[in-house]
Amino acid sequence: MEAISSFLQPATASSFFLFLATMIIPVVIRSIVCQISASIISMWPKGIAVTRELILHLLGIRFGLDNEPTVVVQDNAVAADTLLRRADDFCDRPAGMGGTSVVSGGRLHTITTQPYGPVWVALRRNLTSEAFHPVRGLERAAAHRERALAKLIGDISGAADGGVVNVQPCLYAALLSLNMATCFGDDVGVESEKMEDIREALEEFRRSLNGYHVFSTFQTLAKLVYWGRWRKLVNSRKRVVELFLPLIRACKERRRLGHPQNMKSPSYVDTLLELNVPVAGTGHPKQRQKLSEDEVAGLVLEYMGAGTETIVALLEWTLANLVVQPDVQSRLRRETVAAGGEACEYLRAVVMESLRRHPPFRLMRRQMNRDTVIGNMLVARGTVVNIALEEIGRDSKIWTYPEKFIPERFMPGGEGAGVRLSMGSSTADAGKVMMMPFGAGPRKCPGMGNAILLLEYFLRNLVTAFEWHQVDGQEVDLQPHYGFFTIMDNPLRARVMQLTTVNATDV
Ligand code: HEM
């Protein structure tokens, strides 16, 4: 060693060692890595695949809402106490919910994701006091409902191949055409080809929402790790918005020309174009502005998604249960015919049982805006609170045979008689909570009245127009698929027998 040192000049010596190091160190590291990998592989349990999720887990990287500090509420009394008595602490949703909000990096919001405050009040009030107002909105939409029903009956009769129908596509087409009409108005003509594009685009967007929660935290990194998923989400939303924008512009043009239709019966988009919302973050409620085109498109997407898929899913679940239980179906038919278009107690009971047994949203998410006691636990501000809507409706302490579909439980004398769905912010409501498929408190679903109306309307007419039977050799499978909405894992196929030519009976 000494000989070498004396032989080399100092500068040359350090270069030599640097050279040696660069040659030797990688070899040493590679051999260490190989040895470690070999021993990991030899110890690695057979049958466990090395996935991206596993690697992220081992590195301690967690994306998405599911990895935020979370409390799950499964007890109805605690849920009621949380949402009604402590409503002020639970009025926000976690950041990073909703496709529109995620894709725009929190720049755009829908009613669902808008932070609790004056803009949320303005958007929500616009929906409930216009499109969903019992007279100005729902009553005026009667003609749209009749047209959608006629389409549905026609599609079911026409699609019946040897009497067998794939039910979901028929329901979807009818609800889509109804919601397009109430959203854009009668005279924004959408030809059937465009309608098919919209159907496909909405479906693709819904599919892209499965797993989108990973983008709610550390978005930049999550985009890199889940690049394919991100691209799908962005592109599918872009596709729907590009289909809606020309229709929104046509509404604008119609308003500019002062079309009488707008004055008589404004569509949802007309009301959004008319609306002035407070300017967020200024603290001056009087400072107001119009919504941008992007914002209107996001709200339209919310209306079409929430208003179509939920109703389609529930109608499909209900018809599936009626196929499985022909006695319930016969009673429903008898009693709706006897009611002759008036309110029918048994029809309401069937709808309530469907909502209890198959709520489209399994969980409802809120985020606490201050430290609060939930049940007997102190939970810190910022914690995500998941209310387990499905489990609350199946609580065996409240419901007998909770897994069974028994509409009679909502008839006089049944354990569910008199149960109300409409729980506002009144603390007096809290004691009566037995199920909450529409949520509760100030942020409960604003579409509830419309949803009940549509469910009863279509169901009443579908059971009087057709008899619904099992397809020979194919049992109805009531297994759920838990995605963005809870739908049937195996879509319903039914054998139908046409009974009458239907005169639409509106409730
Ligand atoms: C059977 C049908 C439906 C069910 C079961 C349902 C259920 C729900 C639930 C559980 C929530 C969360 C409520 C909460 O946080 O307390 C919600 C919110 C919401 N729903 Fe529905 N929904 C239905 C139909 C509709 C329809 C037809 C619309 C109309 C467009 C709609 C629009 C909304 C909106 C905008 C929100 C957000 C409310 C807010 O954050 O202020 N829903 N819905």
Side-chain angles (χ1 to χ4, degrees):
M1 194 67 175
E2 249 184 350
I4 294 170
S5 312
S6 60
F7 173 72
L8 295 168
Q9 295 298 313
T12 333
S14 62
S15 310
F16 176 74
F17 283 118
L18 199 63
F19 169 75
L20 216 58
T22 51
M23 293 299 288
I24 292 171
I25 288 173
V27 175
V28 171
I29 289 178
R30 213 171 301 142
S31 101
I32 292 172
V33 168
C34 283
Q35 278 179 31
I36 292 175
S37 323
S39 54
I40 288 179
I41 288 167
S42 67
M43 289 184 314
W44 193 255
K46 283 205 168 50
I48 297 187
V50 183
T51 60
R52 177 171 42 193
E53 276 62 37
L54 185 67
I55 295 167
L56 289 171
H57 183 81
L58 293 174
L59 292 172
I61 300 173
R62 313 265 192 282
F63 291 115
L65 275 181
D66 294 337
N67 294 299
E68 295 277 282
T70 301
V71 168
V72 181
V73 179
Q74 293 171 322
D75 182 278
N76 57 353
V78 177
D81 182 67
T82 305
L83 294 169
L84 301 176
R85 291 209 189 95
R86 292 158 206 268
D88 287 351
D89 304 344
F90 291 94
C91 271
D92 272 322
R93 303 208 188 271
M97 270 186 73
T100 293
S101 159
V102 168
V103 167
S104 68
R107 190 177 53 82
L108 296 174
H109 283 292
T110 57
I111 302 174
T112 313
T113 60
Q114 187 68 241
Y116 191 55
V119 180
W120 169 77
V121 171
L123 293 175
R124 190 178 160 108
R125 189 174 291 156
N126 174 62
L127 180 62
T128 51
S129 65
E130 295 295 338
F132 291 164
H133 184 276
V135 180
R136 268 200 302 281
L138 301 183
E139 211 174 284
R140 286 194 185 149
H144 296 314
R145 282 193 292 277
E146 276 172 31
R147 271 197 294 276
L149 177 66
K151 174 173 174 48
L152 178 57
I153 304 278
D155 283 358
I156 291 175
S157 313
D161 173 14
V164 175
V165 182
N166 290 319
V167 178
Q168 197 266 358
C170 300
L171 292 172
Y172 194 97
L175 262 298
L176 182 64
S177 72
L178 169 61
N179 287 331
M180 288 290 286
T182 55
C183 190
F184 295 105
D186 253 347
D187 46 356
V188 182
V190 182
E191 65 275 26
S192 53
E193 249 171 60
K194 193 48 109 353
M195 203 67 130
E196 185 51 26
D197 283 354
I198 292 174
R199 186 196 64 72
E200 262 180 26
L202 281 169
E203 197 178 321
E204 189 185 314
F205 179 61
R206 174 173 50 77
R207 276 203 304 268
S208 78
L209 289 176
N210 291 333
Y212 83 105
H213 279 149
V214 292
F215 303 115
S216 58
T217 55
F218 310 117
Q219 203 182 80
T220 313
L221 189 56
K223 278 187 217 169
L224 290 174
V225 175
Y226 296 102
W227 174 241
R229 205 184 289 187
W230 175 253
R231 216 180 34 201
K232 217 163 129 194
L233 178 66
V234 172
N235 288 344
S236 65
R237 186 178 180 282
K238 188 163 163 245
R239 182 177 168 204
V240 197
V241 168
E242 278 172 0
L243 286 164
F244 285 152
L245 279 177
L247 303 174
I248 294 170
R249 287 177 191 145
C251 289
K252 262 190 190 162
E253 183 58 12
R254 194 177 55 188
R255 288 169 55 75
R256 198 183 63 77
L257 297 172
H259 197 290
Q261 170 75 24
N262 290 75
M263 313 298 137
K264 215 166 86 254
S265 176
S267 67
Y268 181 47
V269 170
D270 287 324
T271 67
L272 291 173
L273 295 172
E274 182 69 32
L275 192 65
N276 288 304
V277 292
V279 181
T282 59
H284 297 291
K286 290 209 171 125
Q287 207 174 322
R288 293 192 162 240
Q289 64 186 6
K290 293 276 180 214
L291 293 167
S292 69
E293 240 179 22
D294 263 3
E295 286 169 312
V296 173
L299 289 159
V300 165
L301 183 48
E302 173 184 61
Y303 181 92
M304 296 302 298
T308 310
E309 314 255 358
T310 50
I311 309 290
V312 170
L314 263 162
L315 284 173
E316 192 185 13
W317 280 116
T318 313
L319 290 170
N321 279 289
L322 295 182
V323 169
V324 174
Q325 299 193 62
D327 48 334
V328 173
Q329 188 183 149
S330 305
R331 179 168 180 191
L332 180 60
R333 184 171 303 112
R334 250 191 344 269
E335 300 212 5
T336 47
V337 169
E342 296 301 313
C344 170
E345 224 178 6
Y346 195 64
L347 174 63
R348 175 60 58 97
V350 170
V351 168
M352 290 292 280
E353 181 64 343
S354 253
L355 285 162
R356 181 195 70 79
R357 185 65 184 71
H358 305 289
F361 296 101
R362 190 184 195 188
L363 283 179
M364 183 189 90
R365 283 195 157 101
R366 301 279 188 85
Q367 190 155 33
M368 288 161 45
N369 49 24
R370 69 179 82 145
D371 294 355
T372 311
V373 174
I374 300 183
N376 52 12
M377 205 169 119
L378 178 66
V379 183
R381 175 173 183 259
T383 303
V384 173
V385 181
N386 285 340
I387 313 278
L389 301 180
E390 190 182 83
E391 295 200 25
I392 287 174
R394 296 186 192 181
D395 185 344
S396 57
K397 294 197 291 300
I398 296 179
W399 305 102
T400 43
Y401 304 116
E403 297 301 320
K404 295 216 157 102
F405 188 85
I406 312 175
E408 281 68 16
R409 63 172 97 241
F410 288 98
M411 296 297 278
E415 75 241 41
V419 163
R420 285 176 38 211
L421 289 170
S422 173
M423 283 158 292
S425 16
S426 150
T427 52
D429 287 338
K432 303 178 197 128
V433 176
M434 290 169 75
M435 57 195 267
M436 46 173 76
F438 292 99
R443 270 205 111 128
K444 69 176 184 286
C445 176
M448 188 176 83
N450 182 44
I452 300 282
L453 174 83
L454 294 180
L455 291 168
E456 292 196 354
Y457 175 72
F458 283 108
L459 206 54
R460 168 198 296 269
N461 285 292
L462 285 173
V463 290
T464 45
F466 302 102
E467 261 181 27
W468 298 79
H469 300 279
Q470 192 169 296
V471 178
D472 294 337
Q474 284 181 27
E475 265 189 33
V476 173
D477 179 0
L478 292 172
Q479 280 307 308
H481 170 82
Y482 294 113
F484 196 78
F485 302 98
T486 305
I487 55 175
M488 290 182 71
D489 199 23
N490 279 313
L492 175 65
R493 273 164 63 74
R495 194 165 50 78
V496 294
M497 248 176 65
Q498 186 138 13
L499 293 173
T500 52
T501 313
V502 164
N503 293 319
T505 46
D506 215 337
V507 183

